[in-house]
PDB file of all heavy atoms in Angstrom:
ATOM      1  N   TYR L  96      72.533 -56.792 -16.067  1.00 88.00           N
ATOM      2  CA  TYR L  96      73.319 -56.588 -14.847  1.00 88.00           C
ATOM      3  C   TYR L  96      74.396 -57.661 -14.696  1.00 88.00           C
ATOM      4  O   TYR L  96      75.519 -57.385 -14.272  1.00 88.00           O
ATOM      5  CB  TYR L  96      72.389 -56.600 -13.642  1.00 88.00           C
ATOM      6  CG  TYR L  96      73.095 -56.440 -12.322  1.00 88.00           C
ATOM      7  CD1 TYR L  96      73.591 -55.207 -11.918  1.00 88.00           C
ATOM      8  CD2 TYR L  96      73.268 -57.533 -11.471  1.00 88.00           C
ATOM      9  CE1 TYR L  96      74.242 -55.052 -10.707  1.00 88.00           C
ATOM     10  CE2 TYR L  96      73.915 -57.396 -10.254  1.00 88.00           C
ATOM     11  CZ  TYR L  96      74.401 -56.157  -9.876  1.00 88.00           C
ATOM     12  OH  TYR L  96      75.048 -56.015  -8.679  1.00 88.00           O
ATOM     13  N   GLN L 110      78.055 -46.497 -18.112  1.00 87.00           N
ATOM     14  CA  GLN L 110      76.911 -45.896 -18.791  1.00 87.00           C
ATOM     15  C   GLN L 110      76.091 -46.949 -19.529  1.00 87.00           C
ATOM     16  O   GLN L 110      74.857 -46.932 -19.487  1.00 87.00           O
ATOM     17  CB  GLN L 110      77.390 -44.822 -19.759  1.00 87.00           C
ATOM     18  CG  GLN L 110      77.974 -43.588 -19.072  1.00 87.00           C
ATOM     19  CD  GLN L 110      78.529 -42.591 -20.055  1.00 87.00           C
ATOM     20  OE1 GLN L 110      78.540 -42.828 -21.266  1.00 87.00           O
ATOM     21  NE2 GLN L 110      79.027 -41.466 -19.553  1.00 87.00           N
ATOM     22  N   ILE L 116      70.072 -51.614 -17.875  1.00 91.00           N
ATOM     23  CA  ILE L 116      69.306 -51.983 -16.682  1.00 91.00           C
ATOM     24  C   ILE L 116      68.095 -51.062 -16.533  1.00 91.00           C
ATOM     25  O   ILE L 116      66.978 -51.509 -16.252  1.00 91.00           O
ATOM     26  CB  ILE L 116      70.204 -51.907 -15.429  1.00 91.00           C
ATOM     27  CG1 ILE L 116      71.279 -52.995 -15.476  1.00 91.00           C
ATOM     28  CG2 ILE L 116      69.365 -52.057 -14.163  1.00 91.00           C
ATOM     29  CD1 ILE L 116      72.302 -52.886 -14.369  1.00 91.00           C
ATOM     30  N   ALA L 131      47.407 -52.785 -17.819  1.00 93.00           N
ATOM     31  CA  ALA L 131      46.249 -52.649 -16.931  1.00 93.00           C
ATOM     32  C   ALA L 131      45.285 -51.573 -17.438  1.00 93.00           C
ATOM     33  O   ALA L 131      44.059 -51.746 -17.409  1.00 93.00           O
ATOM     34  CB  ALA L 131      46.723 -52.317 -15.513  1.00 93.00           C
ATOM     35  N   MET L 139      37.011 -54.285 -19.940  1.00 86.00           N
ATOM     36  CA  MET L 139      36.135 -54.337 -18.765  1.00 86.00           C
ATOM     37  C   MET L 139      34.797 -53.672 -19.059  1.00 86.00           C
ATOM     38  O   MET L 139      34.640 -52.979 -20.061  1.00 86.00           O
ATOM     39  CB  MET L 139      36.828 -53.654 -17.574  1.00 86.00           C
ATOM     40  CG  MET L 139      38.037 -54.406 -17.047  1.00 86.00           C
ATOM     41  SD  MET L 139      38.691 -53.654 -15.548  1.00 86.00           S
ATOM     42  CE  MET L 139      40.098 -54.722 -15.247  1.00 86.00           C
ATOM     43  N   LEU L 188      53.614 -59.698 -12.625  1.00 89.00           N
ATOM     44  CA  LEU L 188      53.752 -59.240 -11.246  1.00 89.00           C
ATOM     45  C   LEU L 188      54.728 -60.087 -10.456  1.00 89.00           C
ATOM     46  O   LEU L 188      55.415 -59.591  -9.551  1.00 89.00           O
ATOM     47  CB  LEU L 188      52.383 -59.249 -10.554  1.00 89.00           C
ATOM     48  CG  LEU L 188      51.364 -58.232 -11.079  1.00 89.00           C
ATOM     49  CD1 LEU L 188      50.016 -58.422 -10.383  1.00 89.00           C
ATOM     50  CD2 LEU L 188      51.863 -56.809 -10.857  1.00 89.00           C
ATOM     51  N   ARG L 225     100.400 -39.694   8.221  1.00 94.00           N
ATOM     52  CA  ARG L 225      99.429 -38.598   8.252  1.00 94.00           C
ATOM     53  C   ARG L 225      98.365 -38.801   7.177  1.00 94.00           C
ATOM     54  O   ARG L 225      98.652 -39.287   6.088  1.00 94.00           O
ATOM     55  CB  ARG L 225     100.124 -37.251   8.023  1.00 94.00           C
ATOM     56  CG  ARG L 225     101.133 -36.865   9.094  1.00 94.00           C
ATOM     57  CD  ARG L 225     101.879 -35.600   8.675  1.00 94.00           C
ATOM     58  NE  ARG L 225     102.949 -35.265   9.591  1.00 94.00           N
ATOM     59  CZ  ARG L 225     102.854 -34.360  10.566  1.00 94.00           C
ATOM     60  NH1 ARG L 225     101.719 -33.693  10.722  1.00 94.00           N
ATOM     61  NH2 ARG L 225     103.863 -34.099  11.366  1.00 94.00           N
ATOM     62  N   GLY L 229     100.076 -39.397   3.703  1.00 90.00           N
ATOM     63  CA  GLY L 229     100.807 -40.638   3.936  1.00 90.00           C
ATOM     64  C   GLY L 229     102.213 -40.456   4.457  1.00 90.00           C
ATOM     65  O   GLY L 229     103.041 -41.375   4.355  1.00 90.00           O
ATOM     66  N   ILE L 232     105.049 -40.736  10.727  1.00 95.00           N
ATOM     67  CA  ILE L 232     105.066 -39.870  11.903  1.00 95.00           C
ATOM     68  C   ILE L 232     106.092 -40.394  12.907  1.00 95.00           C
ATOM     69  O   ILE L 232     106.045 -41.575  13.301  1.00 95.00           O
ATOM     70  CB  ILE L 232     103.678 -39.811  12.565  1.00 95.00           C
ATOM     71  CG1 ILE L 232     102.613 -39.350  11.560  1.00 95.00           C
ATOM     72  CG2 ILE L 232     103.686 -38.873  13.776  1.00 95.00           C
ATOM     73  CD1 ILE L 232     101.193 -39.459  12.083  1.00 95.00           C
ATOM     74  N   GLY L 251      97.191 -45.835   0.253  1.00 85.00           N
ATOM     75  CA  GLY L 251      96.992 -45.282  -1.082  1.00 85.00           C
ATOM     76  C   GLY L 251      97.096 -46.305  -2.181  1.00 85.00           C
ATOM     77  O   GLY L 251      96.513 -46.131  -3.261  1.00 85.00           O
ATOM     78  N   GLU L 282      99.761 -52.123  29.257  1.00 92.00           N
ATOM     79  CA  GLU L 282     100.838 -51.245  29.684  1.00 92.00           C
ATOM     80  C   GLU L 282     101.723 -50.788  28.540  1.00 92.00           C
ATOM     81  O   GLU L 282     102.261 -49.665  28.554  1.00 92.00           O
ATOM     82  CB  GLU L 282     101.697 -51.942  30.756  1.00 92.00           C
ATOM     83  CG  GLU L 282     100.986 -52.216  32.072  1.00 92.00           C
ATOM     84  CD  GLU L 282     100.178 -53.498  32.054  1.00 92.00           C
ATOM     85  OE1 GLU L 282     100.097 -54.152  30.983  1.00 92.00           O
ATOM     86  OE2 GLU L 282      99.614 -53.868  33.115  1.00 92.00           O
ATOM     87  N   PRO L 338      83.691 -47.983  24.645  1.00 93.00           N
ATOM     88  CA  PRO L 338      84.815 -47.095  24.336  1.00 93.00           C
ATOM     89  C   PRO L 338      85.306 -47.278  22.901  1.00 93.00           C
ATOM     90  O   PRO L 338      85.017 -48.283  22.232  1.00 93.00           O
ATOM     91  CB  PRO L 338      85.894 -47.514  25.346  1.00 93.00           C
ATOM     92  CG  PRO L 338      85.168 -48.276  26.406  1.00 93.00           C
ATOM     93  CD  PRO L 338      84.002 -48.923  25.727  1.00 93.00           C
ATOM     94  N   THR L 345     104.057 -48.630  19.081  1.00 95.00           N
ATOM     95  CA  THR L 345     105.418 -48.497  19.597  1.00 95.00           C
ATOM     96  C   THR L 345     106.219 -47.740  18.548  1.00 95.00           C
ATOM     97  O   THR L 345     105.613 -47.114  17.662  1.00 95.00           O
ATOM     98  CB  THR L 345     106.028 -49.873  19.914  1.00 95.00           C
ATOM     99  OG1 THR L 345     107.305 -49.687  20.533  1.00 95.00           O
ATOM    100  CG2 THR L 345     106.167 -50.725  18.681  1.00 95.00           C
ATOM    101  N   GLU L 349     113.958 -46.531  13.534  1.00 93.00           N
ATOM    102  CA  GLU L 349     114.193 -45.167  13.058  1.00 93.00           C
ATOM    103  C   GLU L 349     113.380 -44.138  13.831  1.00 93.00           C
ATOM    104  O   GLU L 349     113.424 -42.943  13.511  1.00 93.00           O
ATOM    105  CB  GLU L 349     113.845 -45.070  11.556  1.00 93.00           C
ATOM    106  CG  GLU L 349     114.670 -46.004  10.676  1.00 93.00           C
ATOM    107  CD  GLU L 349     114.274 -45.887   9.206  1.00 93.00           C
ATOM    108  OE1 GLU L 349     114.066 -44.750   8.744  1.00 93.00           O
ATOM    109  OE2 GLU L 349     114.151 -46.940   8.545  1.00 93.00           O
TER     110      GLU L 349
END
Side-chain angles (χ1 to χ4, degrees):
Y96 178 75
Q110 291 176 357
I116 292 173
M139 292 186 182
L188 293 175
R225 297 173 186 262
I232 304 172
E282 294 84 356
T345 185
E349 300 179 42

